[in-house]
Amino acid sequence: MRRTFRTVAAGAVCSVALAALTAVPAQAGERGRPAPHWALKDTQAPEVRFRGLSAVGRDTAWVAGTQGTVLRTTDGGASWRNVSPPGASDLQFRDIEAFDARRAVVLAIGEGEASRVYRTDDGGATWTESFRNTDAKAFYDCMTFFDRRHGLAMSDPVDGRFRILSTGDGGRSWKVLPSAGMPAALDGEAGFAASGQCLVASGPADVWLATGGGARARVLHSADRGLTWTAADTPIPAGDPAKGVFALAFRDRAHGLAVGGDYRPDQASPQAAAVTDDGGRTWRPAAAPPPAYRSGAAWLPHSRAAALAVGPTGTDLTTDGGRTWRTVDTGSYDTVDCAADLGCWAAGEKGRVARLER
């Protein structure tokens, strides 16, 4: 009975918070309270670009970025602890997956041995290097976890197929999966290490991989933790190394969002968002997409229709499952992530990290 009461109470609190987050700004102002907005948190790291982000909750978040930098907060961003792995200053961290305030796995990207994975079990006081790429043809971009033990990381195509790494012990060890179940890559096709969201999972076995750079922007799906894959075209423009799907977000195994475009600031990004309701087998263009390139996306927890998309020119909100988007902030962010308690965070260039306030 006590557990049931707490669950209902937590759900009620989240429902009220969600209503505030998705309120139209003008209406919120009329009711005498500020509209939901990003509140910048001083990381004291203006020289770092944070493309890796993991929201544990409203109080705890991890960010990872250039110069081998990993920061962690446990007080809602009031203070940040530099918990960077020693000797990693030459690495580019582009993805981080945290299980709680103490345990996290971080991915460094790049050619050959620049692609590495580290894990900590003590809040970043110490790190163990659990993977170092030794194949000069591989370039790892993103990783994702199904649970605290099982996860995957992906590399750009090697010998014509995307390469998948697998862990069954929380990132302490990794193995390359067989490539027989992976469709052939298109000419020039690759992933974008822009936000840690080119590989995402939902549930115990489903995972999706976003691509660009080829003639078509595609999303690959596996229902067996990366052993076999199918590919689907998206309406997001491609045909250029700078174009494609940059980020995915799935709220369950059926409903997903794709965002992207052309990351060059002097190029337009029409049709920069798409939606699926069949697990990624088919994709539809957003009726009113974000107005520019977007590199990160996240569903708002406890909502079937609200999500955020971020990029260098702003943040957009959808309240109809990705069919239409409206800009709610013009600050520069590369990635966004939300925790179950509605702790939503964004991170990007010049040390920028923010929490969504309501």
Side-chain angles (χ1 to χ4, degrees):
M1 179 69 72
R2 183 179 301 169
R3 182 181 300 174
T4 301
F5 173 76
R6 287 178 176 174
T7 301
V8 172
V13 170
C14 286
S15 296
V16 173
L18 182 63
L21 287 175
T22 57
V24 177
Q27 294 176 341
E30 291 167 3
R31 287 194 292 268
R33 67 169 184 261
H37 62 284
W38 290 120
L40 284 168
K41 308 296 182 178
D42 186 7
T43 63
Q44 299 187 26
E47 72 285 358
V48 178
R49 186 164 196 163
F50 293 114
R51 294 185 183 270
L53 166 66
S54 188
V56 177
R58 284 189 57 79
D59 291 331
T60 301
W62 300 66
V63 290
T66 54
Q67 302 179 32
T69 305
V70 178
L71 305 184
R72 181 190 63 141
T73 183
T74 56
D75 56 13
S79 63
W80 295 85
R81 177 171 294 182
N82 188 329
V83 294
S84 306
S89 59
D90 292 334
L91 300 179
Q92 299 267 343
F93 288 135
R94 295 291 181 94
D95 199 355
I96 187 166
E97 303 289 335
F99 307 115
D100 50 40
R102 297 184 61 79
R103 289 170 286 190
V105 182
V106 64
L107 170 72
I109 62 99
E111 297 178 350
E113 293 192 3
S115 285
R116 305 179 194 179
V117 179
Y118 295 82
R119 175 177 167 115
T120 182
D121 289 290
D122 54 15
T126 62
W127 293 85
T128 300
E129 182 183 308
S130 58
F131 172 76
R132 182 179 297 205
N133 174 49
T134 57
D135 189 334
K137 295 179 289 185
F139 185 116
Y140 286 85
D141 299 292
C142 297
M143 64 180 175
T144 189
F145 278 82
F146 303 96
D147 52 43
R148 288 175 178 257
R149 292 183 58 81
H150 301 92
L152 302 176
M154 59 81 69
S155 164
D156 289 340
V158 176
D159 299 328
R161 298 176 190 272
F162 286 94
R163 175 169 288 180
I164 303 296
L165 274 183
S166 175
T167 180
D169 56 12
R172 295 179 179 87
S173 64
W174 298 82
K175 64 178 180 180
V176 176
L177 292 183
S179 62
M182 177 67 71
L186 305 176
D187 289 344
E189 191 175 28
F192 291 109
S195 61
Q197 295 174 326
C198 59
L199 186 72
V200 301
S202 180
D206 286 278
V207 59
W208 295 263
L209 188 162
T211 82
R216 304 182 304 279
R218 303 196 297 174
V219 173
L220 282 61
H221 170 240
S222 171
D224 54 12
R225 291 185 182 168
L227 292 176
T228 60
W229 298 78
T230 57
D233 293 344
T234 76
I236 293 178
D240 185 279
K243 295 180 180 179
V245 179
F246 281 72
L248 299 168
F250 275 78
R251 66 172 174 82
D252 53 40
R253 67 190 310 264
H255 299 87
L257 307 169
V259 300
D262 189 325
Y263 71 75
R264 295 170 294 191
D266 60 340
Q267 298 295 314
S269 290
Q271 298 178 322
V275 299
T276 181
D277 58 11
D278 59 11
R281 288 190 294 272
T282 61
W283 293 85
R284 306 183 307 277
Y293 156 72
R294 295 293 181 251
S295 56
W299 289 92
L300 292 177
H302 316 290
S303 172
R304 298 178 61 84
L308 296 166
V310 301
T313 62
T315 299
D316 302 294
L317 171 71
T318 179
T319 56
D320 56 13
R323 290 187 292 276
T324 62
W325 298 82
R326 61 182 174 88
T327 302
V328 294
D329 186 271
T330 57
S332 175
Y333 299 102
D334 293 312
T335 187
V336 59
D337 192 28
C338 293
D341 66 352
L342 283 177
C344 291
W345 296 79
E349 63 180 343
K350 299 180 180 178
R352 288 170 59 90
V353 178
R355 189 179 71 178
L356 196 64
E357 305 293 350
R358 52 187 183 274

